[in-house]
Amino acid sequence: MKMKSTHLRYEEDAGAYRTEPTLFVNGKRLPSSLSSRARPNQTLLDFLRVECKLTGSKLGCGEGGCGACTVLVSRLSGKGRVVHVAVNACLFPVLAADGCHVTTIEGIGSFKHDGSTLQSNCDRNGEAKEDYLHPIQRAMIDFHGSQCGYCTPGIIMALYGLFADNEPNAKHLEEHLDGNLCRCTGYRPIWDAARSLCGDVEETVGPCGTPCRQCPEREDCTMDCNVRDKAVCSSTASKVNAYQTVLREKHSDDWWKQPTAMFPTELLDEGLQNQLTKPLKVCDDSIHNGGTWYQPTSLLDLLSLIETHNEAGVKLVVGNTEVGIETKFKHAIYSTMIHPSRSIPGLYDVSTPDDFLVIGSCASLSSLQSTCHQLMSDESEARKAKTARPIHDMLRWFASTQIRNVACIGGNLVTASPISDMNPMLASMRGVLTLAKHDRGEVARRQINVSDFFTGYRSVAMHTNEIIECVSVPLLRDRFEYVSPFKQARRREDDISIVTAGMRLSVTVSCGNKWSIDSISLAFGGVAPTTILAQETMAYLTGREFSEASFDGARRVLQDELRMPDDVPGGQPQYRLTLASSFLYKFFLYCAGELVKDVGDSPGKYPPLPVVEDEASSGAAGFISAAKPSITGTQTYPEPMVAAGLESEKYGDVIRSKPMAAVAAKGQSKEDLVGKPATHASGPLHCTGEALYADDIPSSDSLLHGSLILATQCHSTLESIDVSPALQIPGVAGAFTHEDIIKLGGDNRMGPILLDDVAFLQVGEQVGFVGQVLGIVVADSQEIAEKGARAVSTTYSELDGNAIVSIEDAILANSFWTDFRHTIQRGDVDDALKQSEVDGKKLVVVEGSFRSGGQEHFYLEPNSTLAVPSESATNLTIYASTQAPTKTQDFVARVTNTPAARVVVRMKRMGGGFGGKETRSVFSSVACAVAAKLTNRPCRLTMNRDTDMATTGGRHAFLAKYKAGALVADDGSVKLHAFSVQLFNNGGCKFDLTGPVLDRALFHVDNCYMWPNFRAVGTPCRTSQPPHTAFRGFGGPQGMAVTEHVMDHLAQACNVSGDQLRRTNMYTLQDCTPFGMRFGGKFTGKWNVPSMFDCLYSDLDIPGRRAAASEFNKKNKWSKRGIAFTPTKFGIAFTAKFMNQGGALVHLYTDGTVLVSHGGTEMGQGLHTKVCQVAAQAFGIPLDDVYVNDSSTDKVANTIPSAASMSTDLYGMATLDACQKILKRIKVIRESLPADAPLKDVAKKAFFDRIDLTAHGFFAVDDDRCGFDWAMEKPEDFDDTQPENSWKGHPFNYFTQGVAFAEVEIDVLTGNHKTIRADVLVDVGSSINPAIDIGQIEGAYIQGVGWCTTEEVVYADSDHTWIRPRARVFTTGPGTYKIPAFNDVPETFNVSLLEDASNPFAVHSSKAVGEPPFFLGTSVFYAIKDAVKAARTSDDYFEFRMPATSERIRMACGDYISEECIAAGKASSFQPKGSY
């Protein structure tokens, strides 16, 4: 069906309304041909990307939770000042930008080659700027602030907004950089880049008092700080300060004023401003049918419009932060949207008339926060300051800066969210709402208390024709009246509360000369269907003495008043009740402390103050009012060098051979390229928004957009599917199901190992999981395609019983892939564990279980594919965001019945992968290809975030059941003796990579420790979850986490320190693993973990730190610190032997430049950059002369997925192999030319001599260094002096090794935690690029921290019966799933690469780095566990399950408050619910 014109009909209304918005983007006014296409229900992001073709702003989540879409919106305020705010373009309505200037990443600086000069775009006057990049962009590049680059434009624009007309200030940044997520970097380099732009960063100095880098005696100084600093890659302190020089040299002093300088002069024109005062009315008459948008300019007109359109459906829209969610995810339809003009008096104002703080209902939360900050700073107005502070402090943690910049207080109130942060605050502060409506040509008003406004779940005491005009908050008394906000969420920044509260109390002196409570308000959110006042508790406290005893009694009243059923919506009833109780106690401690201040120096005039023990006073503290931390650290690495690695064995001494040293052009640098911290090859493009991803690739006007048809339930049979309702929607071009694959003659079966999956589920087959793909709808726009997919009708017949969701469910139902149950065994474990002593040493045996949860990949770029048919759809070109181009090619060919030779898959770059795009990207590419082939039109399928998370699976959850024993000698020394463990992983409904993931867990469950008797059995479980798949670490972290749990258990049982137990039982060179690998030398290279452990243990003075933490814990009852010291070894190789191969194609051109194509894919890990360094080193040319375009199956065929951290090992060597072939061919030419002849002269002469300047390189890991045959029996002639199980193979080429230290602090009363410090030391061999390797370590570490702390995947299972339907994944976006944010990074974060590390088994002696550091992030988990142990009154060992969410931390502390909130008799065995 052909799409109707997208030009909208703008109704004329006798000149009363403007009918077309006035839009400015990047300094220019948009022509009518563009602005007239803006629709009422269209977001600014969609308009920018689709209509303006500005694709630098990215769609990451569509709900304002990731910040990838951030742009700057600037407007002229009523005071004549230009105001700048960063906004989430994915929520911000395009029509709300009427009369504003929108700046995108493309508008602040661009990357264009002009010879050796990079040019920028021009300013608004058309004159060239002085510099091609904005300082923020330059800093992000230089500080290695981008990896995959997908989040980078949004982060830069967020910084741009914070700097806009604000002289750069580090504290301002730390306070407000809270609306963006990054999955790759670990945030530290971004923090450094941002701080480098601030002039107020203090420079650190050495003990001598002089900054090391400014010291004239630097070269001779032998102090530790200077020796260490010489090797520093990016010290937060020194490099940030040094960057100020770069700023001064390249940019003007007032570069931060650029947003105002760019503000279009036309918008300053009085005539245009007068025109903009007219109301706006836009009607959508396109096929999208987006309703009508009104922008009235007076309150009476606003109320009149609401009254007129009330019955047809009207919505007041200010920031669209809630309405945008309703329309996108709940598919709400509003025929009329009204956006109040800023010219309406009072609606957008915040003022303090008389004795009130008056907040206009449309005032943004940022403006309220800013006003409160100003009031707090005015010491002459004590009452105003006191009233403003709690509101300001709560708003600091309310959503994000981008949301606060547009969200309003009125919208927050009428939304009536039961977990709103501000509603309890306003209720407790006796706020009063003024409601207004239209009444016979006038404005009628009434008032209602905030506490009476909420009548039920998402319902309020407001008529449909009313609006909130303002909120009035009475000022507090200057003394003896206190208000405090409380909040606990899954993550501190940008997260909705689990429980929130606002509490107000005033005290007076009673007739008995005691402090008594004369008024109290206790308002809670998160404990009922709506915001409530705890009336019974308030009544109990009113009139009582202000004392701890009174609050103890009140706590029990509160618990009875707020107790929730076990299946309460939202879950966590015990934790929520515990939080409410803890908040009440915290409030008492806070008020007691404030009362001391109010009494001041006149205690004799007042009654005695309540007694609070010193160690209990820490309970009053919390993160809400605390300053946000500065994130600092150092990153050290050895002196860069080119080391001899595997290439020396293959090609001899190629490092500094004459052929390479002589080919550099005269005047160019001849220094080595390998070993240097070169910036990411795509960094400049990332930072200017010009890096193209799959969803950014331009296509023809005939492009169709796809949306998947998904199953809405599982554990049922698909009975029918009717696509006819979709086909009736204007703009829908087709809807395709399994029947259409049959028409193509394709094979519907899919799967990387077992062909147990399908492209489109066939009618009559069992639905495997909620979200299984049934087909695809394609249409002329994304919006219509999604509407069409929702219109498809499906019917199901349910199967008997319940869906198997958890591992426990699978065990009970015996639902396993039994053919893939594997065992590793050494010695007689059962016999070893039966003994009571061995050789006079006591055998201590422990037994238990351990669970680790799943993890969502949360790559910032959702799966995206562009399928382009050609030659009458007999050929297909697939542009996909995938780690596996060949796998994508294979299944596209199979399902569409197209020869593989006619299917080309191209992959330029991914916005993150982490294993999630190794296999689980393929089904979406196949669906898109099917539609493209059947329509013979280009099709694009870009998944929404919620669809991606619901369908692609993630990290496998694990359950371990173990029994372990250790021998304790008379002198207290302990040696591990035997370990028996059963591992179960939740594979979901299809096999995917579940078996290999479990195998790697078996290979790593020993971690770094020698178990003489060992047995590990792995059983893959089949459930009704989506197919789970590869994720960074690929099962290794889950296995090692079990080991560390067991080591803690044994340490406690043997009464020995965990550090000592770990160190004394580490592998030595005389040992071998249970699977038969030896350590050291020709077997695995250097075994460095023990020496690394000793080095860090000594350098950090771990005993001293533990003693300091212990002393802190003695002094603080409600704050506890914990420490952990964690080692890792990670095997490098695909355990499937055939996968350890890679190819590359190298072209040497006659201008001396080199093009490399290889089988790997770039997902942010810097693979292309490292490969370019290898090639540049080989040819002896500058790095800029080597280029990798994309990964394409028509250049390098039959490739292996970029996974297992093997890509540099494979493709670095394959590239070097090709380079060596070319160098060998041109050797005779080089020798015939002068020694300093540039490579282009050599290449030209070789060309004319008909020498091939193209070579294909290939590398495969040696047969005896990879592969493991689980089924192989022990040969009869096996040499028993060799390690047991070594006959099955040598699964790993070598081990990447590391150790990590972490120190944390927990709030016992809430479960909040912060990481004070982390130190990481990793052996990466001789690094090809230390900056990239350090970036990978930091990113992996923080991703590991997320897995074991804030990232909790939740399913509709027996533990979460409030979620429906059963087996549906609940955590499908940033609103419910919390990866670490900027505030979650260790406050001090130090990363070092091991010195004197070599690796003869990889290119240039390097080591793989992508996955190994991930497990080191669990050092934070075990440090939290250590802190929890310090808080517990019981010495019994406890299973602390992963992840360590705030709930698990709080409830594991086992204090009297939490025990009161758990059912009687169950406190000792209580475990928070989880999905495993």
Side-chain angles (χ1 to χ4, degrees), residues 105-123 126-134 137-138 684-685 688 690:
I105 186 71
E106 293 93 339
I108 71 171
S110 72
F111 182 79
K112 296 178 182 177
H113 252 300
D114 181 17
S116 61
T117 305
L118 294 166
Q119 302 293 338
S120 73
N121 37 0
C122 300
D123 63 15
E127 297 179 1
K129 298 175 185 174
E130 293 181 359
D131 199 42
Y132 62 93
L133 291 174
H134 190 277
Q137 294 171 320
R138 178 184 295 281
L685 295 175
T688 59
E690 293 165 302

Side-chain angles (χ1 to χ4, degrees), residues 156-485:
I156 288 174
M157 291 310 300
L159 290 169
Y160 188 74
L162 292 177
F163 283 134
D165 279 354
N166 292 299
E167 190 163 358
N169 176 288
K171 286 299 177 186
H172 181 70
L173 283 181
E174 291 160 3
E175 183 68 25
H176 295 284
L177 188 58
D178 58 5
N180 296 78
L181 297 176
C182 175
R183 194 55 154 163
C184 296
T185 65
Y187 299 105
R188 192 277 314 162
I190 301 173
W191 274 122
D192 282 1
R195 284 206 191 85
S196 73
L197 303 168
C198 302
D200 64 334
V201 178
E202 295 182 5
E203 183 163 15
T204 57
V205 298
C208 62
T210 303
C212 291
R213 295 190 177 187
Q214 296 179 13
C215 180
E217 301 177 5
R218 175 172 170 78
E219 294 304 318
D220 299 324
C221 177
T222 58
M223 297 186 75
D224 286 345
C225 60
N226 186 50
V227 172
R228 180 177 177 84
D229 184 70
K230 285 182 180 181
V232 164
C233 164
S234 178
S235 162
T236 296
S238 55
K239 193 171 181 182
V240 160
N241 278 281
Y243 206 74
Q244 290 292 311
T245 304
V246 177
L247 270 180
R248 287 191 292 270
E249 290 176 351
K250 295 184 176 291
H251 303 280
S252 60
D253 291 339
D254 57 354
W255 57 266
W256 41 274
K257 296 181 180 179
Q258 189 203 48
T260 298
M262 282 182 61
F263 193 75
T265 53
E266 191 177 352
L267 268 174
L268 300 173
D269 180 73
E270 186 176 350
L272 179 58
Q273 285 298 316
N274 288 335
Q275 183 181 343
L276 292 173
T277 60
K278 295 177 70 174
L280 176 69
K281 178 182 179 182
V282 177
C283 302
D284 185 354
D285 196 29
S286 74
I287 57 176
H288 295 93
N289 193 24
T292 303
W293 175 279
Y294 289 93
Q295 184 174 296
T297 55
S298 72
L299 181 60
L300 193 60
D301 287 346
L302 167 63
L303 297 174
S304 178
L305 281 170
I306 291 175
E307 185 177 54
T308 301
H309 296 280
N310 190 29
E311 292 185 5
V314 62
K315 199 72 173 180
L316 201 64
V317 176
V318 179
N320 203 48
T321 55
E322 181 66 24
V323 176
I325 300 297
E326 292 174 358
T327 55
K328 182 173 179 62
F329 297 101
K330 300 178 182 177
H331 316 302
I333 298 175
Y334 302 109
S335 59
T336 303
M337 286 171 281
I338 302 175
H339 179 66
S341 168
R342 288 186 169 274
S343 63
I344 299 177
L347 285 189
Y348 289 88
D349 298 334
V350 181
S351 58
T352 53
D354 303 323
D355 288 337
F356 291 90
L357 172 64
V358 180
I359 309 161
S361 65
C362 295
S364 72
L365 299 180
S366 283
S367 65
L368 173 58
Q369 182 183 3
S370 176
T371 300
C372 288
H373 183 74
Q374 295 170 16
L375 293 173
M376 287 163 50
S377 305
D378 187 354
E379 296 181 359
S380 65
E381 297 280 0
R383 293 182 63 199
K384 293 179 181 179
K386 195 172 184 180
T387 305
R389 183 175 296 279
I391 296 174
H392 169 271
D393 287 352
M394 181 61 93
L395 285 173
R396 296 173 65 217
W397 305 97
F398 188 108
S400 66
T401 294
Q402 288 94 315
I403 294 293
R404 293 193 298 272
N405 282 341
V406 294
C408 64
I409 195 71
N412 192 61
L413 285 159
V414 298
T415 298
S417 169
I419 47 178
S420 165
D421 291 334
M422 287 307 299
N423 295 349
M425 277 296 304
L426 295 172
S428 70
M429 297 180 77
R430 298 172 295 176
V432 177
L433 304 179
T434 299
L435 307 182
K437 68 176 181 178
H438 181 265
D439 184 14
R440 290 170 290 185
E442 295 184 351
V443 178
R445 295 179 172 88
R446 69 183 177 98
Q447 292 189 324
I448 184 172
N449 292 331
V450 173
S451 57
D452 298 327
F453 188 59
F454 309 105
T455 58
Y457 179 71
R458 298 281 184 175
S459 60
V460 294
M462 186 173 77
H463 303 306
T464 55
N465 62 342
E466 287 181 313
I467 69 164
I468 298 175
E469 185 176 10
C470 65
V471 188
S472 300
V473 180
L475 298 184
L476 300 178
R477 299 182 343 210
D478 57 353
R479 287 202 305 172
F480 306 136
E481 184 175 17
Y482 313 110
V483 172
S484 184

